[in-house]
């Protein structure tokens, strides 16, 4: 099994999350929460999935990696959910609307990359990300 | 022959909360898709009005409930 050093973990992790800060069209990168089936990868369009909520990152989006871990800086709430539906996946974009990272959403305990206490979003509701961590394993 | 070397895959892990909006009192002015509360206390999304009647259907806790106004 290949094992990488802590320095390599930190540098690799920083290189990935720093992509979120790239661009100039928007003041910050952002995270979209959607219903439907997650596409195969971030290069694939969102298709017929429905946008439920948008969460804005700070600039920079994440702090520096330490021991292979980085915490997101302050994340804004979405105080007015766009549509009613079941949140199933998320996509993180850079400031120029380029997709960087996709992940799964489940209810708490379901094993998703982001877990919500309630995935049944309703128009007009509020979405809060309470924690978001980047991890680069050994 | 060279053997490919695989590296670990980065992960994003997080948690969050959804706070629903305050539901509207169910009445004939409500439209499909509105988040409503009935006099009996059922809370959910208005699915449909049954035509020319005072019966509405709402989805509550993944269950359709018919409500007579």
């Amino acid at each position: 099994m290949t094992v990488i050093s802590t320095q390599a973990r930190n540098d690799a992790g920083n290189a990935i999350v720093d992509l979120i800060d790239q661009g100039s069209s928007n003041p910050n990168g952002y995270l979209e929460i959607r219903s439907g089936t997650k596409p195969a990868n971030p290069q694939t369009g969102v298709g017929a999935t429905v946008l439920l909520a948008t969460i804005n990152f700070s600039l920079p989006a994440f702090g520096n990696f330490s021991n292979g871990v980085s915490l997101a800086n302050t994340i804004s709430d979405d105080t007015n959910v766009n549509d009613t539906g079941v949140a199933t996946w998320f996509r993180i974009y850079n400031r120029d609307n380029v997709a960087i990272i996709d992940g799964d959403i489940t209810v708490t305990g379901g094993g998703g990359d982001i877990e919500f206490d309630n995935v049944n979003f309703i128009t007009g509701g509020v979405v809060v990300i309470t924690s978001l961590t980047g991890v680069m394993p050994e | 022959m060279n053997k490919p070397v695989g590296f670990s895959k980065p992960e994003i892990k997080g948690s969050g909360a959804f706070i629903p909006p305050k539901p509207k009192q169910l009445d004939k002015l409500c439209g499909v898709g509105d988040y409503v509360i009935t006099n009996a206390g059922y809370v959910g999304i208005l699915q449909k009005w049954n035509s020319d009647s005072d019966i509405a259907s709402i989805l509550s806790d993944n269950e359709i409930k018919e409500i007579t106004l």
Side-chain angles (χ1 to χ4, degrees):
Chain A
M1 186 178 76
T2 307
V3 178
I4 62 176
S5 71
T6 300
Q7 181 70 55
R9 293 167 65 196
N10 291 338
D11 287 355
N14 284 329
I16 293 169
V17 297
D18 286 351
L19 293 174
I20 302 169
D21 302 327
Q22 290 187 350
S24 57
S25 302
N26 303 303
N28 36 251
Y30 58 97
L31 181 154
E32 286 186 350
I33 296 174
R34 291 180 167 269
S35 63
T37 302
K38 185 180 72 174
N41 53 52
Q43 293 84 254
T44 305
V46 298
T49 65
V50 176
L51 176 64
L52 302 179
T54 303
I55 303 289
N56 288 315
F57 288 109
S58 296
L59 184 66
F62 281 80
N64 281 328
F65 271 69
S66 175
N67 291 318
V69 175
S70 168
L71 301 178
N73 291 318
T74 302
I75 301 172
S76 302
D77 300 342
D78 185 336
T79 58
N80 188 10
V81 166
N82 294 44
D83 212 332
T84 296
V86 180
T88 53
W89 68 285
F90 68 88
R91 172 164 282 181
I92 295 176
Y93 294 86
N94 75 6
R95 297 168 63 199
D96 279 345
N97 311 309
V98 176
I100 307 294
I101 299 168
D102 288 349
D104 295 310
I105 292 174
T106 64
V107 72
T108 303
D113 299 306
I114 300 179
E115 296 184 333
F116 280 89
D117 62 341
N118 179 3
V119 294
N120 296 304
F121 288 11
I122 297 168
T123 303
V126 176
V127 175
V128 180
I129 300 283
T130 49
S131 75
L132 197 64
T133 304
V135 181
M136 188 69 211
E138 288 185 338
Chain B
M1 186 170 152
N2 290 331
K3 183 179 175 184
V5 175
F7 292 111
S8 300
K9 190 175 176 182
E11 298 175 344
I12 296 286
K13 290 292 181 187
S15 61
F18 173 70
I19 304 162
K22 185 180 178 185
K24 297 178 183 175
Q25 188 69 46
L26 178 63
D27 63 31
K28 295 290 281 185
L29 297 177
C30 292
V32 170
D34 283 348
Y35 186 55
V36 296
I37 183 168
T38 70
N39 286 332
Y42 295 119
V43 180
I45 298 162
L46 178 62
Q47 298 293 298
K48 66 175 181 177
W49 285 106
N50 293 346
S51 58
D52 299 327
S53 72
D54 286 339
I55 298 176
S57 297
I58 68 169
L59 185 67
S60 178
D61 299 330
N62 296 320
E63 181 182 355
I64 298 279
K65 297 181 188 299
E66 280 209 335
I67 310 297
T68 302
L69 292 185

